[in-house]
């Protein structure tokens, strides 16, 4: 009887020790996540939103030129994976040519890795084409860092379709998803998800009329970014 009690006591002691170790490891992991998020939140983060062909990439190139920010396009990161010829790349290609959304675990994983690679030297991040669903925004802010600003380029479907078809006609290497059927499907996917994102992030989103000339749009972009940078600088001084 005594032997059984003794064994029971040690068994319990062992389990308690294991649980304490697990808890300690979880706490360490959480502290590391907080440390990383803090390190990234010191750097401006801007989400670039808008439908296919609204001009996200065009404006990002100009922002990079002026501010030297790091441009992370979710579409480009996915296309790099496709170009690698991996099995995963083939799966992604199927989804992208159907005009649907790739699972967020894939997209956020690629963005997170790119942010970690660049954060030591980056002056700011432009997250182009993300979030495309409310849940993507929530996951990004929980796992990477809160966005400081979202720029939404508002454009009619007709204009977006025309712009992509013109881009495809001029391209030497045409994107697999730049054909009319896929563009229409991309437009549909965009339409289904965008109002939820705009509603959730209303306070940090600036809607910009993207039907206008590239330079006029960019003037508005610059105003918004300068304003955000000033606010961030003031907040850092207060802290
Ligand atoms: P992605 O590569 O992000 O494509 P997109 O959102 O469809 O946008 P585009 O790159 O086609 O257009 P853009 O807005 O950058 O316009 P651009 O500046 O080139 O995504 C592709 C796919 O990847 C998605 O469909 C999805 O499957 C997947 N994916 C990506 N992100 C994801 C995510 N977060 N979650 C899940 N899946 C994801 O301009 C277009 C043309 O118009 C150019 O020729 C340009 O010169 C011209 N132009 C631009 N501005 C103007 C202007 N003001 N006036 C006249 N012409 C202009």
């Amino acid at each position: 009887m005594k032997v059984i009690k003794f064994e029971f006591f040690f068994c319990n002691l062992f389990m308690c020790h294991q649980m304490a170790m697990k808890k300690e490891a979880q706490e360490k992991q959480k502290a590391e996540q907080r440390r990383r998020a803090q390190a990234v939140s010191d750097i401006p983060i801007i989400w670039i939103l808008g439908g296919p062909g609204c001009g996200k990439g065009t404006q990002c190139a100009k922002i990079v030129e002026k501010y030297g920010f790091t441009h992370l396009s979710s579409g480009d990161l996915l296309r790099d994976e496709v170009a690698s010829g991996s099995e995963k790349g083939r799966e992604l290609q199927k989804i992208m040519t159907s005009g649907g959304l790739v699972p967020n675990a894939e997209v956020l994983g690629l963005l997170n890795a790119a942010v970690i690679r660049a954060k030591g030297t980056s002056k700011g991040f432009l997250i182009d084409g993300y979030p495309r669903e409310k849940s993507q925004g929530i996951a990004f802010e929980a796992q990477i860092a809160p966005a400081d600003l979202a720029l939404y380029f508002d454009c009619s479907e007709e204009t977006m379709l025309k712009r992509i078809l013109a881009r495809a006609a001029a391209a030497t290497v045409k994107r697999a998803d730049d054909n009319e059927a896929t563009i229409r499907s991309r437009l549909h996917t965009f339409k289904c998800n965008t109002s939820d994102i705009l509603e959730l992030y209303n306070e940090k989103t600036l809607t910009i009329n993207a039907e206008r000339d590239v330079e006029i749009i960019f003037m508005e972009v610059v105003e918004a970014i300068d304003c955000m940078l000033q606010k961030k600088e003031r907040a850092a001084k207060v802290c």
Side-chain angles (χ1 to χ4, degrees), residues 221-234:
V221 167
V222 168
E223 241 177 68
I225 295 180
D226 285 350
C227 180
M228 177 274 289
L229 289 175
Q230 280 164 17
K231 258 197 216 162
K232 209 166 164 67
E233 205 176 310
R234 277 200 299 273

Side-chain angles (χ1 to χ4, degrees), residues 47-104:
W47 286 342
I48 306 293
L49 315 175
C54 69
K56 301 184 292 296
T58 305
Q59 293 297 323
C60 281
K62 295 183 72 61
I63 299 170
V64 170
E65 202 182 357
K66 181 168 171 66
Y67 296 93
F69 290 166
T70 308
H71 177 205
L72 300 178
S73 149
S74 52
D76 286 348
L77 290 170
L78 291 166
R79 277 185 289 277
D80 287 347
E81 186 65 46
V82 171
S84 76
S86 65
E87 181 55 38
K88 192 205 274 181
R90 278 191 285 277
E91 288 305 311
L92 297 178
Q93 175 79 301
K94 273 190 220 156
I95 303 172
M96 290 164 80
T97 42
S98 77
L101 293 181
V102 165
N104 190 38

Side-chain angles (χ1 to χ4, degrees), residues 52-53 56-58 74 79 100 129 132 136 167 175 186 212:
K56 301 184 292 296
T58 305
S74 52
R79 277 185 289 277
R132 290 190 195 227
Q136 290 196 349
R167 179 179 68 189
R175 260 171 59 171
R186 284 156 67 193
R212 298 167 298 166

Side-chain angles (χ1 to χ4, degrees), residues 10-22:
F10 272 101
C11 197
N12 267 350
L13 195 68
F14 176 73
M15 276 167 63
C16 285
H17 178 69
Q18 290 290 91
M19 277 163 69
M21 297 254 291
K22 197 173 165 195

